Amino acid sequence: MGPRKPRLARLRIWARAPGEWGAGRWAGRRDHEFRVHGPRVRGCRDLWRRSGRAAMVRKPGLLLPLLLLLLGPAPARSFGQLPLILNTWPFRNATVAAWKTLAAGGSALDAVESGCATCEQQQCDGSVGFGGSPDESAETTLDAMIMDGTTMNVGAVGDLRRIKNAIGVARKVLEHTTHTLLAGEAATKFAESMGFVNEDLSTNVSQALHSDWLARNCQPNYWKNVIPDSSKYCGPYKPPAILKRDGITYEDTAHGYSHDTIGMIVIHTMGNIAAGTSTNGIKFKIPGRIGDSPIPGSGAYADDMVGAAAATGDGDILMRFVPSYQAVEYMRRGENPTTACEKVISRIQKYFPNFFGAVICANVTGSYGAACNKLSTFTQFHFMVYNPLKSEPTEEKVDCI
């Protein structure tokens, strides 16, 4: 008697309407039955039946992940291979660190933490980690978050002071508390209780930035409707109703802004998704300011059933539109990642046509995309990608819309 042949499991899938599964080779097909060998479905407890009975899957939101698990990744970028590392800006070392973590057997969360921590240590572009973006009082503070797309748990810190490893503290919030976000001095005390070292985040560079800012009459700053005129002079500032009688006059100065964030998406070979962010915020912010980066759905968002997104740019504008959450919801409805990102940008443009910002998106298959708002000084957005189709981390770019 010859060797026993492996039984086949059957998966029958109904699509309620054409296009319900989104763009791709299966869109619009109805009542399809797929036969796959047992080893391909051993990890899917609800589907694998040694009797060979058909598994009936009727929830549309589950179809795309189940197809990926059973059929494996298809060729071409629209169904790209996993794992995937995707992060904002040309922060290559962060991409490499995340990839090495996965290669060593780490989880998607481990990879996000490792990638963002690398940027914190290397002070990526001066906009991540210690020694950058001093606030009005010359102090550098940090924001970070990390999200587990499997459990939907989040850990985040805002206005974190005197602790260098912000993403590490965010991970501790996720793992050791039932909270989502800790901020300010209390977040620092929590970090110390978790074993993090309390140390000055200022450097000669950040101190020089602050001195130069003072010499330029505190330009730029983020005050409005105050006296003295914040577009011309330093504070302290008060509402006009209090100081309008003073009648002081001043001289004009220049105005300008610059800020970036690392946002990272990691999709594990097993389909687990994580996303995270880290930043030191905007230069010369009002002390206590927290931007979009540590806010779930704004700085980043992840859902194993759909994909993930992360945003970068003017956090005070971005957080009003929860762009990362919105991008994931667009993908849930069937939009491809590029279109999802573009729709998010277009939505913000209606209210703030001159905002600075970009979004990266990836779905559960490993397909990815990005979009940005076009300005005279910002016409293309650069980001990093690493997956099995590439021999090394690759910098890609998109034209802003």
Side-chain angles (χ1 to χ4, degrees):
M1 186 173 179
R4 188 175 181 180
K5 293 183 179 180
R7 293 183 179 180
L8 298 177
R10 293 185 297 167
L11 171 64
R12 178 167 290 166
I13 298 175
W14 288 267
R16 294 182 182 176
E20 188 173 48
W21 301 2
R25 53 182 178 173
W26 309 113
R29 298 190 180 185
R30 295 171 180 264
D31 197 8
H32 284 276
E33 185 175 276
F34 303 95
R35 295 175 180 269
V36 293
H37 286 288
R40 296 296 295 278
V41 292
R42 283 175 183 161
C44 191
R45 296 178 181 176
D46 293 333
L47 296 179
W48 174 244
R49 297 291 184 272
R50 289 201 176 273
S51 63
R53 292 173 298 181
M56 305 303 182
V57 182
R58 295 179 180 273
K59 292 185 178 180
L62 295 174
L63 297 178
L64 192 57
L66 290 173
L67 279 174
L68 177 66
L69 175 64
L70 294 172
L71 302 177
R77 177 175 166 180
S78 61
F79 274 74
Q81 294 184 7
L82 301 177
L84 171 71
I85 310 292
L86 185 69
N87 62 264
T88 56
W89 308 108
F91 300 151
R92 187 180 191 278
N93 290 343
T95 317
V96 171
W99 186 266
K100 286 182 176 179
T101 299
L102 289 182
S107 67
L109 280 172
D110 294 335
V112 167
E113 181 180 0
S114 175
C116 290
T118 296
C119 245
E120 291 173 349
Q121 295 160 6
Q122 298 181 358
Q123 303 168 282
C124 288
D125 202 33
S127 61
V128 182
F130 69 99
S133 302
D135 63 17
E136 287 187 345
S137 61
E139 185 177 11
T140 294
T141 59
L142 308 179
D143 299 340
M145 70 156 284
I146 188 166
M147 181 168 186
D148 185 344
T150 303
T151 64
M152 306 306 287
N153 287 333
V154 178
V157 289
D159 190 29
L160 180 67
R161 300 172 178 179
R162 303 183 304 281
I163 303 290
K164 286 185 176 180
N165 185 199
I167 191 69
V169 181
R171 180 80 181 269
K172 295 301 184 184
V173 174
L174 183 151
E175 293 182 336
H176 299 292
T177 81
T178 58
H179 298 317
T180 294
L181 172 65
L182 300 180
E185 286 292 345
T188 300
K189 289 181 180 179
F190 169 80
E192 290 178 297
S193 75
M194 293 288 107
F196 293 88
V197 178
N198 188 322
E199 54 189 319
D200 188 5
L201 302 187
S202 297
T203 63
N204 291 337
V205 172
S206 65
Q207 291 172 356
L209 283 170
H210 186 259
S211 297
D212 181 63
W213 177 73
L214 290 174
R216 290 184 285 108
N217 290 339
C218 304
Q219 303 301 311
N221 64 64
Y222 300 91
W223 295 86
K224 66 178 183 179
N225 302 325
V226 293
I227 291 177
D229 185 345
S230 61
S231 68
K232 300 177 181 179
Y233 314 107
C234 294
Y237 304 104
K238 299 289 183 180
I242 296 177
L243 297 177
K244 63 182 179 181
R245 65 182 180 275
D246 290 356
I248 306 173
T249 58
Y250 304 88
E251 299 177 0
D252 268 334
T253 58
H255 200 78
Y257 298 83
S258 176
H259 40 278
D260 303 318
T261 300
I262 181 169
M264 178 172 281
I265 295 167
V266 175
I267 305 181
H268 195 278
T269 305
M270 300 303 294
N272 306 114
I273 304 176
T277 64
S278 185
T279 183
N280 52 34
I282 51 179
K283 294 182 181 69
F284 320 121
K285 57 184 175 282
I286 298 171
R289 180 262 190 188
I290 296 174
D292 67 313
S293 295
I295 308 301
S298 290
Y301 194 76
D303 184 341
D304 277 12
M305 301 308 300
V306 183
T312 182
D314 187 342
D316 292 301
I317 298 298
L318 291 169
M319 68 192 301
R320 302 171 193 178
F321 296 87
V322 284
S324 297
Y325 170 81
Q326 189 64 53
V328 170
E329 290 307 301
Y330 283 137
M331 291 189 287
R332 192 188 307 276
R333 298 175 194 173
E335 299 291 358
N336 66 60
T338 297
T339 301
C341 286
E342 290 175 345
K343 283 191 170 185
V344 166
I345 295 298
S346 296
R347 183 166 171 258
I348 303 173
Q349 282 175 334
K350 293 178 182 179
Y351 297 88
F352 299 95
N354 296 318
F355 86 99
F356 169 63
V359 182
I360 56 173
C361 304
N363 67 23
V364 70
T365 70
S367 175
Y368 60 87
C372 51
N373 185 42
K374 186 175 182 180
L375 302 173
S376 60
T377 56
F378 183 55
T379 59
Q380 290 184 326
F381 171 58
H382 295 247
F383 58 98
M384 296 300 300
V385 182
Y386 204 174
N387 63 25
L389 299 176
K390 304 179 184 299
S391 59
E392 61 181 13
T394 302
E395 180 180 335
E396 298 193 12
K397 62 185 179 181
V398 292
D399 292 326
C400 295
I401 59 175

